[in-house]
Amino acid sequence: MRIGILTGGGDCPGLNAVIRAVGKRSFDNGHEMVAVREGWRGFVDGIFAPLGRREISGLLPRGGTILGTSRTNPFKVDGGVDAALAHFASEHLDALVAIGGEDTLGVAARLYREHNFPVVGVPKTIDNDLSGTDYTFGFDTAVTIATEAIDRLHTTAESHNRVMVVEVMGRHTGWIAVMSGIAGGADAILIPEHPITVEDACAQLMKRHAGGKDFSIVVVSEGYELTYASGDTKLVAGEARATDQFGHVVLGGVGDALAREIEHRTGFETRVTVLGHVQRGGTPTPRDRVLATRYGLKAADLVHEGTFGRMVALHGDSIVDISLDEGTAELKTVPDEWYDVARAFFW
Ligand code: F6P
C-alpha cells in the first residue's frame, strides 16, 4: 500500500513520535509512506513529499511536526473536496492516517462517511477535549510546562506578597488549568465549565490572605468567561483568523482582565503570566512519547488490516479503536469530580 499521513490543526508535542511509529510499523509491513504537507491543505493543493526510513529517524523527542500543519478545511474551499479526492488518486494513495483534533478528524469522519475515504484518525491536542479518548497526546506535556511555570511563580509570588495570575490554553475546556492547578497547588482555578464569579474568586483570595497567607496563585483558562454576580459574562476573544477555516475565535487575554479586577477589588498587587504557545512547543514528555507511539502503531495496524473510518483511542490503559464519528461527537469537558479535587485546596 501507499499510505499518506498528515497533521492538521495546532501543532502539539508528540506528533512526530506518531509519524515515526506509523512509519516504522508500515515499513515493516512492506508499505510505502507519503508525507501530505500542511494538513488538509496538502490534499487540496497537492503538496506531497517522500517519507522514508531516513525521514522518520530521530523524531521521537522532536516537538512540532515535520509534515507542517494548517487549519484548512476542504469542505470550506471551493472545489476543495474534489481536489483532495483527485490528488489522493493521482498520488496513487491507498490509505491515509490523519493526526488531529476535532476539526481535522471531523473532516476525516465526513470524508469517510460521504466518500468512503480510507482514513484512520489519531487524536491529538494539548486541550484534551476529545470525548472518545481518555487522553490525547500533547496534553501531558502542556500540563508539565504549566505546572513548572506555577512552581516558579510560587517563589516570586511569595517573595513579593503578590497575587500571580497564570493564563493557560485549553480553548473551551479547562483541562490544562485544572490539572496544572492541582499539580501546582493553585489557590483559585477559573475554567469555562465551572465559572466561579469574579466576586467569589476575590472573596476567596481575601479570606486566604486574612488567614495569614501573603500571596496567591490563580490559574485561569483562556476560555473562561469573566462572570459576575450580576449574571453578566464576558468572553475575552478576537475574531477568527481568515486562515482558520474552522472559524475559531482567537482566545487569550482573560488573564490580564482578571488580574486587573483582582487588584482593583482586593487591593493586592497582582501580576499576570500568559503561557501561550510555550505550552505547545518543544519536546514531548515520556508519557506523551509513549502514548503517541502506541497510537501510531495501532493506526498503522488498522490501515494494514484495511479497517477504515476509525480513530485510535485510550480507554483506561488500553489502546482501542472507535468510529471517527464517535471520536469527534462531542467536546469532553472537565467533570465535577475533577474540579472538586482542585477546589478542596481553595480557601
Ligand atoms: O487547540 C490547541 C490550541 O493551542 C488552543 O489551546 C488555543 O486556543 C489554540 O490552539 C491557539 O491556536 P493558534 O496556534 O492558532 O494561535
Side-chain angles (χ1 to χ4, degrees):
M1 280 195 236
R2 266 169 74 77
I3 305 166
I5 186 164
L6 66 77
T7 52
D11 74 330
C12 165
L15 286 168
N16 285 325
V18 178
I19 296 165
R20 166 182 176 266
V22 173
K24 172 78 172 72
R25 178 59 59 86
S26 299
F27 295 142
D28 289 351
N29 283 336
H31 305 307
E32 271 176 61
M33 297 287 304
V34 175
V36 182
R37 301 281 312 164
E38 294 174 27
W40 292 111
R41 189 172 155 235
F43 263 124
V44 173
D45 294 347
I47 322 168
F48 300 98
L51 191 70
R53 285 190 189 266
R54 179 186 292 268
E55 283 76 23
I56 64 160
S57 169
L59 291 188
L60 186 56
R62 194 160 145 191
T65 163
I66 60 160
L67 304 177
T69 185
S70 70
R71 289 207 168 93
T72 298
N73 180 352
F75 289 96
K76 287 282 158 65
V77 177
D78 254 358
V81 172
D82 290 342
L85 297 175
H87 285 128
F88 183 83
S90 62
E91 267 302 304
H92 306 291
L93 292 171
D94 301 292
L96 174 73
V97 175
I99 314 168
E102 50 160 341
D103 300 331
T104 304
L105 298 185
V107 169
R110 195 165 161 194
L111 285 175
Y112 175 73
R113 212 183 313 123
E114 295 178 7
H115 299 275
N116 206 20
F117 193 74
V119 61
V120 169
V122 180
K124 71 87 226 193
T125 167
I126 62 164
D127 304 334
N128 198 40
D129 58 359
L130 280 177
S131 60
T133 185
D134 290 354
Y135 289 97
T136 50
F137 67 88
F139 173 63
D140 186 62
T141 307
V143 170
T144 301
I145 292 166
T147 303
E148 190 191 331
I150 294 169
D151 288 348
R152 287 175 186 277
L153 289 168
H154 255 110
T155 61
T156 168
E158 228 169 336
S159 308
H160 286 268
N161 298 347
R162 281 174 175 159
V163 175
M164 291 291 189
V165 174
V166 191
E167 180 186 306
V168 298
M169 282 185 164
R171 195 97 70 184
H172 301 293
T173 65
W175 284 103
I176 299 176
V178 163
M179 290 296 188
S180 63
I182 293 171
D187 305 303
I189 302 174
L190 294 96
I191 63 172
E193 299 92 326
H194 297 267
I196 52 175
T197 62
V198 170
E199 288 88 343
D200 279 351
C202 290
Q204 259 175 48
L205 298 179
M206 304 275 276
K207 201 164 140 206
R208 177 177 148 83
H209 289 225
K213 300 284 187 180
D214 304 316
F215 71 95
S216 291
I217 302 286
V218 176
V219 179
V220 60
S221 186
E222 61 179 1
Y224 165 77
E225 297 190 19
L226 288 163
T227 306
Y228 296 91
S230 63
D232 289 349
T233 58
K234 182 172 179 267
L235 180 70
V236 182
E239 303 265 299
R241 294 188 187 94
T243 47
D244 184 341
Q245 294 175 338
F246 294 92
H248 294 291
V249 293
V250 180
L251 294 171
V254 67
D256 208 36
L258 182 65
R260 271 186 273 119
E261 287 279 23
I262 291 173
E263 191 164 82
H264 173 69
R265 288 165 187 265
T266 65
F268 303 143
E269 195 181 4
T270 305
R271 294 286 191 271
V272 59
T273 301
V274 180
L275 292 181
H277 294 79
V278 168
Q279 292 158 100
R280 269 181 21 197
T283 189
T285 57
R287 193 184 172 89
D288 275 339
R289 294 182 201 189
V290 171
L291 183 58
T293 298
R294 294 177 76 199
Y295 277 163
L297 293 179
K298 178 74 177 179
D301 288 344
L302 291 170
V303 168
H304 183 64
E305 288 165 13
T307 307
F308 297 116
R310 310 294 290 171
M311 182 187 97
V312 300
L314 181 72
H315 287 180
D317 213 15
S318 304
I319 302 291
V320 300
D321 61 283
I322 60 175
S323 77
L324 273 167
D325 279 334
E326 194 188 332
T328 54
E330 57 184 283
L331 207 65
K332 184 177 67 186
T333 51
V334 175
D336 289 350
E337 57 262 38
W338 271 116
Y339 195 65
D340 286 346
V341 175
R343 201 174 7 213
F345 296 90
F346 301 170
W347 278 61

